[in-house]
Structures are given as C-alpha cells and as structure tokens.
Amino acid sequence: MGSKTLEDEDPGRQDAPPSNGSSTAGGEPRGNHVARDGDGCMGSDGCGEGDDDDDEAKAAAAAAALTCVVDLEVNKKKKRKRPKKKKGSAASKQSSPPRIPLDELFPSGQFGPGQLINYSTPLNTTARAKSGELRRERHVNLDDSEFLNNYRKSAEIHRQVRRWVQETVKPGHTLTEIAVGIEDGVRALLGNQGLEPGASLRSGLGFPTGLSLNNCVAHYTPNPGRTDTVLQYDDVMKVDFGVQINGWIVDSAFTMAFNPTYDNLLAAVKDATNTGIQTAGIDVRICDISAAIQETMESYEVEIRGKTYPVKPVRNLCGHDIKHYHIHGEKTVPFTRHSDETKMEEGEIFAIETFGSTGRGYTREADGIYGYGLNDDAPLRVNLALNSANRVFKTVKENFGTLVFARRYLDRLGVDRYVAGLNCLVANGILEAYAPLVDIAGSYSAQFEHTILLRESCKEVISRGEDY
C-alpha cells in the first residue's frame, strides 16, 4: 500500500557524467572555436600562403563539431533509457483486493506455523489410553510436513483475505460485494478459479461465506435473485469463511462493528474463544472446555442505547471437529456447561468458536437458504423424474462433493434453472439445506473462531493472526 515497487523506481533517470566529447556546463563543444576562428591567426593577412591548409582545417573542424553533437544526442538517449523489468521477480506485497497467488509471494513454497501452544499436562500421562498406532489409524498425521505446509498455506490465505476485509469494508457496501470479494480473493490466492470439474475439490472455499448481521447469529449468505442488503454503521457483522486444500478446511471467523457501542460484546466473545483454545488439548474433557467458555463470556456485559445487557453464550450452537471434506465432524464443543465427558484426542482438528448474544442466547431457523451439502449416504448417481435435478446432482458431485456450497457458486459455473432441481434433491434426502439462524429481533450477536491442530508435541492455532 503506497510502497514503491520495481516499476516506481527509475535508476536510469539519474544524470550521466559528461562524455569526453562535451564541455562543462555553460561552455561549448570542443572544436567549435576552431571552426569559428579558422587556424587561429589574427586576420586574413596573417597567413597568406596557407589557403589550402585553411580549407582543410575548416573541414576538419566542422567534422569534429558534428561528432560532438552526435555524441551529445547519444548521451541524451542513454539518459532516457529505462532499465528492463526483471522477469520472474517475486511480488513482495499482496495487492488490494488480494489477487496475487500465494505461490508468487512465497516462492520457496514453505509457510510458517500458526501459534504453537504447549500442553499443560505431561505427554506421558496415563490418561492417554490409545497407543500411537491406533491414533494414527484413526486420525491424520498432523506432523506430516506436506499436510502441515498445505494447511498453513490455507491459513495464510485466510489471513490475507480477511485483512483486506478489515481494511476495506465499510458501511455502504452490499453483502454481495463483500461475499464475492472474499471468495474471489481466496480463489485468486490459491491460483485456482475452480471452473473445471474437480478443480474446486482440489482447493477452494470450505463453505459459503457467512455474513450474518445483528440478531442473525450464523449461516446467512447473500443469494442471487434476492434483495441485497447494504451494510450500515450500526450493524454488527459476523464474517465466517473457510479455505481448503485437498479437503482440509481452515475454519476461522471474526466480527466487525463500526459503532464502538458494541466493543464489549466483541471483547466478550473473543475472550471466550481464546479461553476455549487455552483449555483445549489432548485428553481434555470437552465439558471442562465448555464450562470455561461460559464462565468467561458471562463475566461481560454491554450497554446499548442506555440499557445494560448480559452477554449470553448461544446454547444451541457448538464448536466442532473437522474431518476430511466435512466441515462438521462427530464431536461438538458447546458454549455452556454439560455433563458429557468426551475427550479430545491426539490427531484431531477442532474449530474452536463461540457465539455470544444480547438476546435469549438461543437460535431458530429463519426464512431463506444459506447453502446445501451432499448427504454422506447420497447415491453415486441419480435418475429422478426432474431432469434439472439429475443435472444439478452431477454438477454438485463433480465440483463440491460433501463440501457445503451456495447458490451463487452454481451461477458462477454457468448452471441455469437450478432452483427446482435443488428443491427436488432436498426433498429426496440427497441434499441437506441449511437455513440462517437468528435470535430474537433487536438483539445483537458476535462470533470469533480459530482452527486448532492437536499435534503430538503441541497444539497449533493454525489460523491465528495479528488481528485476532
């Protein structure tokens, strides 16, 4: 932003030293006085016998003067010559909006770790009941160098795209502009536009970009054909998006508010999420994590327009583990106390997130559609009565698999007249439709989330950044 690039610098425009064929500033080219004064005699009578020599001298002087003029022109041309731009030079800074593929910013192909946190209990604790071999069979090897590097690349893409959101998005932008900007940025940084069959399965969005405002707690995304929403100064917006490479998803979210009235609401939820991250670990009971989250969040309150509200954890939403090509795994991390003593295990990946609300702290489904996901038991192929359903199913299998997708992703792929086909697939239990989730009208909610890897030696908060 405003820093100079190679194209801004122009070392070729510095003044060149004078050549041997030119005089110093304010003088004249060497030899011009010879052409003017002849052979240097004091008048026409001084050398009566050298007329031929005079002609030869004048001709030589004129040639010398012409040579000097040519030398001066050449020097001027050399001054104007710009240095050639080096081919293949790596970009040093991300563009705004982010469009430079990450491989160009990191030519080594290596990406640094997220936040590394040591476990609070010894690694040789007897509570670790499963052997290393059994754990490796059940979970991916989180210390594999290729796996880690790809996951860290996804996390770096998330950081760079969300930095653009935080620096650029202001009241007056539409939610469609924001969502498309995020998703275009992710695809550009991955260097994969995802327009060919199977391309979006190799890398792309982990799920539709969530832009939930105020009492809409989660799972809202703008859809084509519906009236767009314009972001307002008094809005509280949850920004939730995922980046995946080879089906392993970085799931991270943050909240934006332009009115400082809501600062304490955001602080409560951010603190609760960080408490959950600090408490999480191998062989830690999930109920202990939930209790710590609730205690932290409920220690905050926020004053809005002269009325004080306690910040309540949302009771029917949870953090979750992440599986291959599945944003939601089998385990959940609620935000309120419970008695389930299920433990976290080595090799697992968790999205530690919390939602806080000034309302009831309980959500219900609202009208509209957030996205669709293919059910695990969906058949390999379908032959339904509605042709558009068969066509949409083929597109979903080829491009998204079990990843959740939004309607605008189908628009982008050039699929037309797909709504009836989607509804048919949902009615037949092949696709699951997800609706926006809202608290009571007039309430406000916030969300913060990070992805953590429970590696053998430490937990890595892979999506951690300087922002949150």
Side-chain angles (χ1 to χ4, degrees), residues 216-268:
C216 183
V217 180
H219 292 180
Y220 178 85
T221 199
N223 277 310
R226 299 197 64 174
T227 303
D228 208 351
T229 301
V230 178
L231 187 63
Q232 305 295 324
Y233 174 75
D234 280 320
D235 284 336
V236 178
M237 180 173 67
K238 282 73 67 182
V239 182
D240 189 0
F241 68 98
V243 182
Q244 64 88 11
I245 296 176
N246 297 327
W248 290 106
I249 306 167
V250 168
D251 185 4
S252 187
F254 59 99
T255 301
M256 297 180 70
F258 308 97
N259 188 335
T261 295
Y262 310 107
D263 285 354
N264 234 31
L265 171 62
L266 273 60

Side-chain angles (χ1 to χ4, degrees), residues 19-191:
S19 68
N20 291 335
S22 63
S23 65
T24 58
E28 58 185 354
R30 185 181 300 166
N32 275 13
H33 68 286
V34 176
R36 183 185 68 244
D37 296 336
D39 61 358
C41 296
M42 298 295 295
S44 58
D45 295 336
C47 296
E49 298 178 355
D51 291 341
D52 291 339
D53 291 340
D54 287 346
D55 292 339
E56 290 177 3
K58 289 178 181 179
L66 180 60
T67 300
C68 291
V69 172
V70 171
D71 286 345
L72 285 172
E73 291 299 323
V74 170
N75 285 337
K76 288 180 181 178
K77 290 180 181 179
K78 287 182 178 178
K79 289 181 185 179
R80 296 191 187 100
K81 188 176 181 181
R82 294 172 180 263
K84 291 183 179 179
K85 186 177 179 181
K86 294 181 180 178
K87 293 183 179 180
S89 59
S92 60
K93 192 177 182 68
Q94 186 55 260
S95 62
S96 180
R99 293 296 182 268
I100 301 176
L102 214 62
D103 290 340
E104 294 185 19
L105 295 176
F106 293 80
S108 67
Q110 298 300 309
F111 301 90
Q115 181 189 22
L116 304 177
I117 304 176
N118 292 326
Y119 295 117
S120 57
T121 56
L123 290 177
N124 60 356
T125 175
T126 56
R128 185 174 297 188
K130 293 184 174 65
S131 68
E133 291 79 6
L134 287 175
R135 288 194 302 275
R136 282 193 289 273
E137 287 178 6
R138 182 168 177 177
H139 304 300
V140 68
N141 180 11
L142 300 188
D143 289 302
D144 176 77
S145 59
E146 182 178 357
F147 170 86
L148 271 176
N149 198 55
N150 281 336
Y151 226 140
R152 289 166 177 171
K153 178 179 180 180
S154 295
E156 180 61 27
I157 289 173
H158 198 286
R159 282 188 288 270
Q160 293 198 15
V161 172
R162 76 190 191 220
R163 183 183 303 124
W164 169 77
V165 175
Q166 293 159 355
E167 292 175 350
T168 306
V169 170
K170 298 290 187 295
H173 288 152
T174 67
L175 297 192
T176 297
E177 288 173 336
I178 301 168
V180 171
I182 289 172
E183 291 162 357
D184 284 351
V186 169
R187 295 185 185 103
L189 269 59
L190 283 167

Side-chain angles (χ1 to χ4, degrees), residues 294-306:
Q294 181 175 4
E295 181 178 2
T296 299
M297 192 178 299
E298 290 182 346
S299 68
Y300 286 80
E301 56 186 22
V302 55
E303 183 179 334
I304 301 175
R305 289 182 283 277

Side-chain angles (χ1 to χ4, degrees), residues 408-420:
R408 63 178 173 277
Y409 295 4
L410 297 177
D411 278 353
R412 191 170 176 274
L413 291 172
V415 182
D416 58 358
R417 300 191 300 276
Y418 53 74
V419 175

Side-chain angles (χ1 to χ4, degrees), residues 198-464:
S200 292
L201 291 172
R202 292 192 297 272
S203 64
L205 281 305
F207 48 87
T209 299
L211 299 173
S212 305
L213 300 181
N214 307 325
N215 71 308
C216 183
V217 180
H219 292 180
Y220 178 85
T221 199
N223 277 310
R226 299 197 64 174
T227 303
D228 208 351
T229 301
V230 178
L231 187 63
Q232 305 295 324
Y233 174 75
D234 280 320
D235 284 336
V236 178
M237 180 173 67
K238 282 73 67 182
V239 182
D240 189 0
F241 68 98
V243 182
Q244 64 88 11
I245 296 176
N246 297 327
W248 290 106
I249 306 167
V250 168
D251 185 4
S252 187
F254 59 99
T255 301
M256 297 180 70
F258 308 97
N259 188 335
T261 295
Y262 310 107
D263 285 354
N264 234 31
L265 171 62
L266 273 60
V269 180
K270 183 187 294 186
D271 194 3
T273 297
N274 286 331
T275 297
I277 292 169
Q278 290 295 332
T279 310
I282 296 172
D283 295 322
V284 174
R285 296 180 302 181
I286 291 178
C287 61
D288 294 337
I289 302 171
S290 299
I293 288 172
Q294 181 175 4
E295 181 178 2
T296 299
M297 192 178 299
E298 290 182 346
S299 68
Y300 286 80
E301 56 186 22
V302 55
E303 183 179 334
I304 301 175
R305 289 182 283 277
K307 185 175 180 180
T308 300
Y309 299 86
V311 181
K312 300 177 182 178
V314 178
R315 300 190 302 277
N316 60 336
L317 291 179
C318 302
H320 50 89
D321 66 331
I322 297 173
K323 299 296 187 184
H324 197 212
Y325 286 107
H326 288 78
I327 185 57
H328 290 154
E330 301 165 353
K331 295 182 179 180
T332 60
V333 184
F335 317 137
T336 55
R337 293 177 181 86
H338 57 91
S339 58
D340 185 357
E341 295 192 351
T342 299
K343 294 180 179 180
M344 291 182 167
E345 299 177 45
E346 178 187 332
E348 290 183 322
I349 303 168
F350 276 89
I352 301 296
E353 62 181 322
T354 67
F355 292 86
S357 173
T358 63
R360 294 173 56 228
Y362 194 86
T363 66
R364 61 174 177 82
E365 290 189 351
D367 294 335
I369 292 292
Y370 163 70
Y372 303 85
L374 197 65
N375 286 321
D376 288 335
D377 57 355
L380 293 177
R381 56 185 59 85
V382 298
N383 187 18
L384 300 172
L386 194 63
N387 286 333
S388 65
N390 300 326
R391 179 167 45 88
V392 170
F393 177 80
K394 182 175 184 293
T395 301
V396 170
K397 288 283 288 185
E398 290 178 345
N399 292 276
F400 310 116
T402 53
L403 296 172
V404 180
F405 63 94
R407 288 181 179 179
R408 63 178 173 277
Y409 295 4
L410 297 177
D411 278 353
R412 191 170 176 274
L413 291 172
V415 182
D416 58 358
R417 300 191 300 276
Y418 53 74
V419 175
L422 288 171
N423 292 338
C424 180
L425 292 170
V426 171
N428 282 274
I430 296 169
L431 283 181
E432 183 172 357
Y434 300 93
L437 301 173
V438 299
D439 202 337
I440 58 173
S443 63
Y444 295 89
S445 56
Q447 173 195 18
F448 282 90
E449 178 181 25
H450 276 301
T451 297
I452 66 170
L453 313 182
L454 299 182
R455 297 171 55 193
E456 181 179 6
S457 59
C458 64
K459 53 188 169 185
E460 181 171 347
V461 191
I462 203 158
S463 55
R464 180 74 79 186

